[in-house]
PDB file of all heavy atoms in Angstrom:
ATOM      1  N   SER A   1       0.806  -1.237  -0.008  1.00  0.00           N
ATOM      2  CA  SER A   1      -0.002   0.011   0.004  1.00  0.00           C
ATOM      3  C   SER A   1       0.823   1.273  -0.004  1.00  0.00           C
ATOM      4  O   SER A   1       0.313   2.347  -0.159  1.00  0.00           O
ATOM      5  CB  SER A   1      -0.930   0.001   1.219  1.00  0.00           C
ATOM      6  OG  SER A   1      -0.174   0.083   2.420  1.00  0.00           O
ATOM      7  N   ARG A   2       2.130   1.140   0.174  1.00  0.00           N
ATOM      8  CA  ARG A   2       3.016   2.318   0.178  1.00  0.00           C
ATOM      9  C   ARG A   2       3.903   2.283  -1.033  1.00  0.00           C
ATOM     10  O   ARG A   2       4.209   1.249  -1.583  1.00  0.00           O
ATOM     11  CB  ARG A   2       3.829   2.318   1.454  1.00  0.00           C
ATOM     12  CG  ARG A   2       2.938   2.453   2.673  1.00  0.00           C
ATOM     13  CD  ARG A   2       3.745   2.769   3.920  1.00  0.00           C
ATOM     14  NE  ARG A   2       2.842   3.021   5.013  1.00  0.00           N
ATOM     15  CZ  ARG A   2       2.591   2.161   5.962  1.00  0.00           C
ATOM     16  NH1 ARG A   2       3.147   0.981   5.973  1.00  0.00           N
ATOM     17  NH2 ARG A   2       1.739   2.474   6.923  1.00  0.00           N
ATOM     18  N   PRO A   3       4.357   3.452  -1.490  1.00  0.00           N
ATOM     19  CA  PRO A   3       5.149   3.478  -2.747  1.00  0.00           C
ATOM     20  C   PRO A   3       6.473   2.749  -2.653  1.00  0.00           C
ATOM     21  O   PRO A   3       6.891   2.129  -3.623  1.00  0.00           O
ATOM     22  CB  PRO A   3       5.370   4.971  -2.995  1.00  0.00           C
ATOM     23  CG  PRO A   3       4.976   5.675  -1.767  1.00  0.00           C
ATOM     24  CD  PRO A   3       4.103   4.764  -0.964  1.00  0.00           C
ATOM     25  N   ALA A   4       7.132   2.775  -1.514  1.00  0.00           N
ATOM     26  CA  ALA A   4       8.426   2.098  -1.397  1.00  0.00           C
ATOM     27  C   ALA A   4       8.757   1.886   0.067  1.00  0.00           C
ATOM     28  O   ALA A   4       8.395   2.663   0.927  1.00  0.00           O
ATOM     29  CB  ALA A   4       9.522   2.926  -2.046  1.00  0.00           C
ATOM     30  N   TYR A   5       9.445   0.800   0.324  1.00  0.00           N
ATOM     31  CA  TYR A   5       9.971   0.499   1.641  1.00  0.00           C
ATOM     32  C   TYR A   5      11.484   0.418   1.511  1.00  0.00           C
ATOM     33  O   TYR A   5      12.007  -0.173   0.546  1.00  0.00           O
ATOM     34  CB  TYR A   5       9.470  -0.830   2.190  1.00  0.00           C
ATOM     35  CG  TYR A   5       8.108  -0.744   2.811  1.00  0.00           C
ATOM     36  CD1 TYR A   5       6.964  -1.067   2.102  1.00  0.00           C
ATOM     37  CD2 TYR A   5       7.964  -0.367   4.159  1.00  0.00           C
ATOM     38  CE1 TYR A   5       5.723  -1.022   2.686  1.00  0.00           C
ATOM     39  CE2 TYR A   5       6.712  -0.330   4.753  1.00  0.00           C
ATOM     40  CZ  TYR A   5       5.592  -0.653   3.979  1.00  0.00           C
ATOM     41  OH  TYR A   5       4.361  -0.605   4.581  1.00  0.00           O
ATOM     42  N   THR A   6      12.172   0.998   2.441  1.00  0.00           N
ATOM     43  CA  THR A   6      13.632   0.942   2.472  1.00  0.00           C
ATOM     44  C   THR A   6      14.071   0.254   3.742  1.00  0.00           C
ATOM     45  O   THR A   6      13.556   0.526   4.809  1.00  0.00           O
ATOM     46  CB  THR A   6      14.230   2.339   2.409  1.00  0.00           C
ATOM     47  OG1 THR A   6      13.811   2.974   1.179  1.00  0.00           O
ATOM     48  CG2 THR A   6      15.750   2.310   2.454  1.00  0.00           C
ATOM     49  N   TYR A   7      15.025  -0.654   3.599  1.00  0.00           N
ATOM     50  CA  TYR A   7      15.627  -1.300   4.758  1.00  0.00           C
ATOM     51  C   TYR A   7      17.093  -0.904   4.786  1.00  0.00           C
ATOM     52  O   TYR A   7      17.792  -1.018   3.782  1.00  0.00           O
ATOM     53  CB  TYR A   7      15.520  -2.836   4.668  1.00  0.00           C
ATOM     54  CG  TYR A   7      15.934  -3.496   5.978  1.00  0.00           C
ATOM     55  CD1 TYR A   7      14.970  -3.856   6.908  1.00  0.00           C
ATOM     56  CD2 TYR A   7      17.270  -3.673   6.297  1.00  0.00           C
ATOM     57  CE1 TYR A   7      15.358  -4.449   8.107  1.00  0.00           C
ATOM     58  CE2 TYR A   7      17.655  -4.257   7.481  1.00  0.00           C
ATOM     59  CZ  TYR A   7      16.687  -4.634   8.398  1.00  0.00           C
ATOM     60  OH  TYR A   7      17.048  -5.193   9.589  1.00  0.00           O
ATOM     61  N   VAL A   8      17.543  -0.431   5.922  1.00  0.00           N
ATOM     62  CA  VAL A   8      18.941  -0.047   6.069  1.00  0.00           C
ATOM     63  C   VAL A   8      19.626  -1.118   6.918  1.00  0.00           C
ATOM     64  O   VAL A   8      19.340  -1.273   8.098  1.00  0.00           O
ATOM     65  CB  VAL A   8      19.090   1.346   6.760  1.00  0.00           C
ATOM     66  CG1 VAL A   8      20.554   1.693   6.902  1.00  0.00           C
ATOM     67  CG2 VAL A   8      18.351   2.400   5.960  1.00  0.00           C
ATOM     68  N   ARG A   9      20.487  -1.880   6.263  1.00  0.00           N
ATOM     69  CA  ARG A   9      21.259  -2.914   6.933  1.00  0.00           C
ATOM     70  C   ARG A   9      22.412  -2.220   7.672  1.00  0.00           C
ATOM     71  O   ARG A   9      23.030  -1.307   7.146  1.00  0.00           O
ATOM     72  CB  ARG A   9      21.871  -3.907   5.930  1.00  0.00           C
ATOM     73  CG  ARG A   9      20.825  -4.709   5.195  1.00  0.00           C
ATOM     74  CD  ARG A   9      21.449  -5.461   4.012  1.00  0.00           C
ATOM     75  NE  ARG A   9      22.212  -6.594   4.472  1.00  0.00           N
ATOM     76  CZ  ARG A   9      23.539  -6.750   4.300  1.00  0.00           C
ATOM     77  NH1 ARG A   9      24.251  -5.827   3.665  1.00  0.00           N
ATOM     78  NH2 ARG A   9      24.148  -7.825   4.748  1.00  0.00           N
ATOM     79  N   LEU A  10      22.701  -2.663   8.884  1.00  0.00           N
ATOM     80  CA  LEU A  10      23.766  -2.086   9.691  1.00  0.00           C
ATOM     81  C   LEU A  10      24.815  -3.182   9.921  1.00  0.00           C
ATOM     82  O   LEU A  10      24.585  -4.138  10.637  1.00  0.00           O
ATOM     83  CB  LEU A  10      23.209  -1.571  11.004  1.00  0.00           C
ATOM     84  CG  LEU A  10      22.133  -0.487  10.858  1.00  0.00           C
ATOM     85  CD1 LEU A  10      21.478  -0.180  12.208  1.00  0.00           C
ATOM     86  CD2 LEU A  10      22.663   0.743  10.204  1.00  0.00           C
ATOM     87  N   THR A  11      25.973  -3.003   9.309  1.00  0.00           N
ATOM     88  CA  THR A  11      26.984  -4.075   9.280  1.00  0.00           C
ATOM     89  C   THR A  11      27.606  -4.396  10.609  1.00  0.00           C
ATOM     90  O   THR A  11      28.064  -5.515  10.829  1.00  0.00           O
ATOM     91  CB  THR A  11      28.119  -3.737   8.288  1.00  0.00           C
ATOM     92  OG1 THR A  11      28.756  -2.512   8.728  1.00  0.00           O
ATOM     93  CG2 THR A  11      27.582  -3.566   6.877  1.00  0.00           C
ATOM     94  N   ALA A  12      27.611  -3.462  11.540  1.00  0.00           N
ATOM     95  CA  ALA A  12      28.229  -3.709  12.854  1.00  0.00           C
ATOM     96  C   ALA A  12      27.184  -3.922  13.958  1.00  0.00           C
ATOM     97  O   ALA A  12      27.508  -3.832  15.138  1.00  0.00           O
ATOM     98  CB  ALA A  12      29.151  -2.561  13.226  1.00  0.00           C
ATOM     99  N   ASP A  13      25.953  -4.204  13.558  1.00  0.00           N
ATOM    100  CA  ASP A  13      24.872  -4.406  14.516  1.00  0.00           C
ATOM    101  C   ASP A  13      25.055  -5.749  15.198  1.00  0.00           C
ATOM    102  O   ASP A  13      25.027  -6.793  14.564  1.00  0.00           O
ATOM    103  CB  ASP A  13      23.546  -4.363  13.796  1.00  0.00           C
ATOM    104  CG  ASP A  13      22.358  -4.303  14.714  1.00  0.00           C
ATOM    105  OD1 ASP A  13      22.477  -4.753  15.869  1.00  0.00           O
ATOM    106  OD2 ASP A  13      21.309  -3.789  14.291  1.00  0.00           O
ATOM    107  N   ARG A  14      25.253  -5.728  16.531  1.00  0.00           N
ATOM    108  CA  ARG A  14      25.410  -6.974  17.257  1.00  0.00           C
ATOM    109  C   ARG A  14      24.086  -7.404  17.882  1.00  0.00           C
ATOM    110  O   ARG A  14      23.950  -8.530  18.359  1.00  0.00           O
ATOM    111  CB  ARG A  14      26.501  -6.840  18.316  1.00  0.00           C
ATOM    112  CG  ARG A  14      27.863  -6.670  17.676  1.00  0.00           C
ATOM    113  CD  ARG A  14      29.008  -6.736  18.609  1.00  0.00           C
ATOM    114  NE  ARG A  14      28.762  -6.104  19.899  1.00  0.00           N
ATOM    115  CZ  ARG A  14      29.700  -5.635  20.667  1.00  0.00           C
ATOM    116  NH1 ARG A  14      30.969  -5.733  20.309  1.00  0.00           N
ATOM    117  NH2 ARG A  14      29.432  -5.094  21.827  1.00  0.00           N
ATOM    118  N   SER A  15      23.096  -6.545  17.872  1.00  0.00           N
ATOM    119  CA  SER A  15      21.746  -6.914  18.347  1.00  0.00           C
ATOM    120  C   SER A  15      20.994  -7.676  17.275  1.00  0.00           C
ATOM    121  O   SER A  15      20.287  -8.637  17.581  1.00  0.00           O
ATOM    122  CB  SER A  15      20.957  -5.677  18.736  1.00  0.00           C
ATOM    123  OG  SER A  15      21.574  -4.991  19.798  1.00  0.00           O
ATOM    124  N   LEU A  16      21.137  -7.236  16.033  1.00  0.00           N
ATOM    125  CA  LEU A  16      20.522  -7.908  14.893  1.00  0.00           C
ATOM    126  C   LEU A  16      21.635  -8.145  13.866  1.00  0.00           C
ATOM    127  O   LEU A  16      21.887  -7.312  13.000  1.00  0.00           O
ATOM    128  CB  LEU A  16      19.434  -7.020  14.256  1.00  0.00           C
ATOM    129  CG  LEU A  16      18.155  -6.826  15.051  1.00  0.00           C
ATOM    130  CD1 LEU A  16      17.267  -5.792  14.384  1.00  0.00           C
ATOM    131  CD2 LEU A  16      17.416  -8.140  15.198  1.00  0.00           C
ATOM    132  N   PRO A  17      22.306  -9.293  13.956  1.00  0.00           N
ATOM    133  CA  PRO A  17      23.392  -9.565  13.019  1.00  0.00           C
ATOM    134  C   PRO A  17      22.883  -9.543  11.574  1.00  0.00           C
ATOM    135  O   PRO A  17      21.674  -9.683  11.322  1.00  0.00           O
ATOM    136  CB  PRO A  17      23.833 -10.983  13.407  1.00  0.00           C
ATOM    137  CG  PRO A  17      23.318 -11.219  14.763  1.00  0.00           C
ATOM    138  CD  PRO A  17      22.103 -10.353  14.913  1.00  0.00           C
ATOM    139  N   LEU A  18      23.819  -9.373  10.651  1.00  0.00           N
ATOM    140  CA  LEU A  18      23.448  -9.291   9.235  1.00  0.00           C
ATOM    141  C   LEU A  18      22.624 -10.502   8.782  1.00  0.00           C
ATOM    142  O   LEU A  18      21.702 -10.350   7.979  1.00  0.00           O
ATOM    143  CB  LEU A  18      24.689  -9.149   8.352  1.00  0.00           C
ATOM    144  CG  LEU A  18      25.295  -7.755   8.337  1.00  0.00           C
ATOM    145  CD1 LEU A  18      26.551  -7.745   7.475  1.00  0.00           C
ATOM    146  CD2 LEU A  18      24.311  -6.722   7.825  1.00  0.00           C
ATOM    147  N   THR A  19      22.940 -11.666   9.289  1.00  0.00           N
ATOM    148  CA  THR A  19      22.164 -12.844   8.872  1.00  0.00           C
ATOM    149  C   THR A  19      20.697 -12.708   9.273  1.00  0.00           C
ATOM    150  O   THR A  19      19.815 -13.103   8.518  1.00  0.00           O
ATOM    151  CB  THR A  19      22.744 -14.130   9.476  1.00  0.00           C
ATOM    152  OG1 THR A  19      22.833 -14.007  10.903  1.00  0.00           O
ATOM    153  CG2 THR A  19      24.123 -14.443   8.912  1.00  0.00           C
ATOM    154  N   VAL A  20      20.446 -12.128  10.425  1.00  0.00           N
ATOM    155  CA  VAL A  20      19.054 -11.900  10.887  1.00  0.00           C
ATOM    156  C   VAL A  20      18.408 -10.812  10.039  1.00  0.00           C
ATOM    157  O   VAL A  20      17.270 -10.960   9.592  1.00  0.00           O
ATOM    158  CB  VAL A  20      19.026 -11.554  12.383  1.00  0.00           C
ATOM    159  CG1 VAL A  20      17.599 -11.184  12.825  1.00  0.00           C
ATOM    160  CG2 VAL A  20      19.553 -12.718  13.216  1.00  0.00           C
ATOM    161  N   GLN A  21      19.137  -9.729   9.817  1.00  0.00           N
ATOM    162  CA  GLN A  21      18.597  -8.653   8.980  1.00  0.00           C
ATOM    163  C   GLN A  21      18.250  -9.156   7.597  1.00  0.00           C
ATOM    164  O   GLN A  21      17.166  -8.870   7.057  1.00  0.00           O
ATOM    165  CB  GLN A  21      19.596  -7.499   8.887  1.00  0.00           C
ATOM    166  CG  GLN A  21      19.879  -6.810  10.210  1.00  0.00           C
ATOM    167  CD  GLN A  21      20.954  -5.767  10.070  1.00  0.00           C
ATOM    168  OE1 GLN A  21      20.812  -4.823   9.280  1.00  0.00           O
ATOM    169  NE2 GLN A  21      22.047  -5.911  10.814  1.00  0.00           N
ATOM    170  N   ASP A  22      19.136  -9.941   7.021  1.00  0.00           N
ATOM    171  CA  ASP A  22      18.906 -10.480   5.665  1.00  0.00           C
ATOM    172  C   ASP A  22      17.733 -11.443   5.647  1.00  0.00           C
ATOM    173  O   ASP A  22      16.946 -11.459   4.701  1.00  0.00           O
ATOM    174  CB  ASP A  22      20.165 -11.154   5.133  1.00  0.00           C
ATOM    175  CG  ASP A  22      21.269 -10.164   4.811  1.00  0.00           C
ATOM    176  OD1 ASP A  22      20.996  -8.958   4.676  1.00  0.00           O
ATOM    177  OD2 ASP A  22      22.422 -10.619   4.692  1.00  0.00           O
ATOM    178  N   HIS A  23      17.576 -12.206   6.707  1.00  0.00           N
ATOM    179  CA  HIS A  23      16.425 -13.099   6.817  1.00  0.00           C
ATOM    180  C   HIS A  23      15.124 -12.300   6.865  1.00  0.00           C
ATOM    181  O   HIS A  23      14.139 -12.656   6.206  1.00  0.00           O
ATOM    182  CB  HIS A  23      16.550 -14.003   8.050  1.00  0.00           C
ATOM    183  CG  HIS A  23      15.319 -14.810   8.310  1.00  0.00           C
ATOM    184  ND1 HIS A  23      14.987 -15.909   7.566  1.00  0.00           N
ATOM    185  CD2 HIS A  23      14.340 -14.676   9.235  1.00  0.00           C
ATOM    186  CE1 HIS A  23      13.856 -16.401   8.004  1.00  0.00           C
ATOM    187  NE2 HIS A  23      13.436 -15.662   9.030  1.00  0.00           N
ATOM    188  N   MET A  24      15.112 -11.213   7.633  1.00  0.00           N
ATOM    189  CA  MET A  24      13.907 -10.380   7.716  1.00  0.00           C
ATOM    190  C   MET A  24      13.558  -9.777   6.347  1.00  0.00           C
ATOM    191  O   MET A  24      12.400  -9.748   5.974  1.00  0.00           O
ATOM    192  CB  MET A  24      14.111  -9.281   8.760  1.00  0.00           C
ATOM    193  CG  MET A  24      14.206  -9.794  10.164  1.00  0.00           C
ATOM    194  SD  MET A  24      14.348  -8.619  11.545  1.00  0.00           S
ATOM    195  CE  MET A  24      15.053  -7.156  10.864  1.00  0.00           C
ATOM    196  N   ILE A  25      14.581  -9.347   5.645  1.00  0.00           N
ATOM    197  CA  ILE A  25      14.336  -8.769   4.306  1.00  0.00           C
ATOM    198  C   ILE A  25      13.789  -9.843   3.359  1.00  0.00           C
ATOM    199  O   ILE A  25      12.801  -9.622   2.640  1.00  0.00           O
ATOM    200  CB  ILE A  25      15.662  -8.178   3.735  1.00  0.00           C
ATOM    201  CG1 ILE A  25      16.101  -6.989   4.573  1.00  0.00           C
ATOM    202  CG2 ILE A  25      15.494  -7.775   2.262  1.00  0.00           C
ATOM    203  CD1 ILE A  25      17.562  -6.557   4.350  1.00  0.00           C
ATOM    204  N   ARG A  26      14.441 -11.025   3.340  1.00  0.00           N
ATOM    205  CA  ARG A  26      13.968 -12.118   2.469  1.00  0.00           C
ATOM    206  C   ARG A  26      12.544 -12.532   2.788  1.00  0.00           C
ATOM    207  O   ARG A  26      11.731 -12.782   1.900  1.00  0.00           O
ATOM    208  CB  ARG A  26      14.888 -13.326   2.600  1.00  0.00           C
ATOM    209  CG  ARG A  26      16.131 -13.260   1.796  1.00  0.00           C
ATOM    210  CD  ARG A  26      16.860 -14.621   1.698  1.00  0.00           C
ATOM    211  NE  ARG A  26      17.013 -15.296   3.003  1.00  0.00           N
ATOM    212  CZ  ARG A  26      17.994 -15.059   3.866  1.00  0.00           C
ATOM    213  NH1 ARG A  26      18.950 -14.153   3.582  1.00  0.00           N
ATOM    214  NH2 ARG A  26      18.060 -15.723   4.999  1.00  0.00           N
ATOM    215  N   THR A  27      12.230 -12.605   4.080  1.00  0.00           N
ATOM    216  CA  THR A  27      10.888 -12.999   4.510  1.00  0.00           C
ATOM    217  C   THR A  27       9.847 -11.993   4.014  1.00  0.00           C
ATOM    218  O   THR A  27       8.807 -12.368   3.482  1.00  0.00           O
ATOM    219  CB  THR A  27      10.835 -13.158   6.051  1.00  0.00           C
ATOM    220  OG1 THR A  27      11.791 -14.131   6.446  1.00  0.00           O
ATOM    221  CG2 THR A  27       9.454 -13.561   6.510  1.00  0.00           C
ATOM    222  N   ALA A  28      10.137 -10.743   4.218  1.00  0.00           N
ATOM    223  CA  ALA A  28       9.202  -9.693   3.765  1.00  0.00           C
ATOM    224  C   ALA A  28       9.071  -9.687   2.238  1.00  0.00           C
ATOM    225  O   ALA A  28       7.970  -9.565   1.684  1.00  0.00           O
ATOM    226  CB  ALA A  28       9.640  -8.324   4.279  1.00  0.00           C
ATOM    227  N   ASP A  29      10.203  -9.829   1.558  1.00  0.00           N
ATOM    228  CA  ASP A  29      10.186  -9.832   0.084  1.00  0.00           C
ATOM    229  C   ASP A  29       9.425 -11.041  -0.456  1.00  0.00           C
ATOM    230  O   ASP A  29       8.743 -10.943  -1.483  1.00  0.00           O
ATOM    231  CB  ASP A  29      11.598  -9.781  -0.493  1.00  0.00           C
ATOM    232  CG  ASP A  29      12.239  -8.398  -0.387  1.00  0.00           C
ATOM    233  OD1 ASP A  29      11.540  -7.437  -0.036  1.00  0.00           O
ATOM    234  OD2 ASP A  29      13.441  -8.311  -0.653  1.00  0.00           O
ATOM    235  N   ALA A  30       9.532 -12.173   0.214  1.00  0.00           N
ATOM    236  CA  ALA A  30       8.823 -13.364  -0.213  1.00  0.00           C
ATOM    237  C   ALA A  30       7.306 -13.199  -0.033  1.00  0.00           C
ATOM    238  O   ALA A  30       6.520 -13.738  -0.825  1.00  0.00           O
ATOM    239  CB  ALA A  30       9.294 -14.593   0.563  1.00  0.00           C
ATOM    240  N   LEU A  31       6.939 -12.416   0.948  1.00  0.00           N
ATOM    241  CA  LEU A  31       5.511 -12.152   1.211  1.00  0.00           C
ATOM    242  C   LEU A  31       4.910 -11.320   0.080  1.00  0.00           C
ATOM    243  O   LEU A  31       3.753 -11.533  -0.303  1.00  0.00           O
ATOM    244  CB  LEU A  31       5.374 -11.441   2.553  1.00  0.00           C
ATOM    245  CG  LEU A  31       3.981 -11.157   3.092  1.00  0.00           C
ATOM    246  CD1 LEU A  31       3.249 -12.462   3.378  1.00  0.00           C
ATOM    247  CD2 LEU A  31       4.072 -10.315   4.349  1.00  0.00           C
ATOM    248  N   THR A  32       5.693 -10.378  -0.446  1.00  0.00           N
ATOM    249  CA  THR A  32       5.212  -9.507  -1.504  1.00  0.00           C
ATOM    250  C   THR A  32       6.316  -9.347  -2.560  1.00  0.00           C
ATOM    251  O   THR A  32       6.973  -8.315  -2.642  1.00  0.00           O
ATOM    252  CB  THR A  32       4.817  -8.113  -0.959  1.00  0.00           C
ATOM    253  OG1 THR A  32       5.955  -7.574  -0.286  1.00  0.00           O
ATOM    254  CG2 THR A  32       3.650  -8.157  -0.026  1.00  0.00           C
ATOM    255  N   PRO A  33       6.527 -10.383  -3.386  1.00  0.00           N
ATOM    256  CA  PRO A  33       7.606 -10.338  -4.344  1.00  0.00           C
ATOM    257  C   PRO A  33       7.463  -9.238  -5.391  1.00  0.00           C
ATOM    258  O   PRO A  33       8.454  -8.804  -5.960  1.00  0.00           O
ATOM    259  CB  PRO A  33       7.551 -11.729  -5.019  1.00  0.00           C
ATOM    260  CG  PRO A  33       6.217 -12.251  -4.704  1.00  0.00           C
ATOM    261  CD  PRO A  33       5.765 -11.619  -3.438  1.00  0.00           C
ATOM    262  N   HIS A  34       6.276  -8.723  -5.544  1.00  0.00           N
ATOM    263  CA  HIS A  34       6.030  -7.626  -6.503  1.00  0.00           C
ATOM    264  C   HIS A  34       6.420  -6.276  -5.922  1.00  0.00           C
ATOM    265  O   HIS A  34       6.405  -5.270  -6.618  1.00  0.00           O
ATOM    266  CB  HIS A  34       4.555  -7.626  -6.895  1.00  0.00           C
ATOM    267  CG  HIS A  34       3.630  -7.411  -5.720  1.00  0.00           C
ATOM    268  ND1 HIS A  34       3.352  -8.440  -4.832  1.00  0.00           N
ATOM    269  CD2 HIS A  34       2.965  -6.334  -5.293  1.00  0.00           C
ATOM    270  CE1 HIS A  34       2.542  -7.973  -3.883  1.00  0.00           C
ATOM    271  NE2 HIS A  34       2.296  -6.706  -4.160  1.00  0.00           N
ATOM    272  N   HIS A  35       6.780  -6.266  -4.646  1.00  0.00           N
ATOM    273  CA  HIS A  35       7.085  -5.009  -3.953  1.00  0.00           C
ATOM    274  C   HIS A  35       8.245  -5.197  -2.972  1.00  0.00           C
ATOM    275  O   HIS A  35       8.083  -5.065  -1.764  1.00  0.00           O
ATOM    276  CB  HIS A  35       5.809  -4.538  -3.232  1.00  0.00           C
ATOM    277  CG  HIS A  35       5.797  -3.094  -2.867  1.00  0.00           C
ATOM    278  ND1 HIS A  35       5.638  -2.107  -3.810  1.00  0.00           N
ATOM    279  CD2 HIS A  35       5.870  -2.475  -1.690  1.00  0.00           C
ATOM    280  CE1 HIS A  35       5.649  -0.932  -3.214  1.00  0.00           C
ATOM    281  NE2 HIS A  35       5.781  -1.128  -1.937  1.00  0.00           N
ATOM    282  N   PRO A  36       9.431  -5.507  -3.488  1.00  0.00           N
ATOM    283  CA  PRO A  36      10.557  -5.797  -2.587  1.00  0.00           C
ATOM    284  C   PRO A  36      11.103  -4.546  -1.902  1.00  0.00           C
ATOM    285  O   PRO A  36      10.896  -3.423  -2.384  1.00  0.00           O
ATOM    286  CB  PRO A  36      11.616  -6.398  -3.525  1.00  0.00           C
ATOM    287  CG  PRO A  36      11.325  -5.789  -4.842  1.00  0.00           C
ATOM    288  CD  PRO A  36       9.811  -5.606  -4.873  1.00  0.00           C
TER     289      PRO A  36
END
């Protein structure tokens, strides 16, 4: 419903490691592949 979503990955994040951030992005993108 929104024109664009942006995710900012933080490479030194120890609370949400990159693998977790990437998983969240992939999960959301899989939910709406037409709107990554």
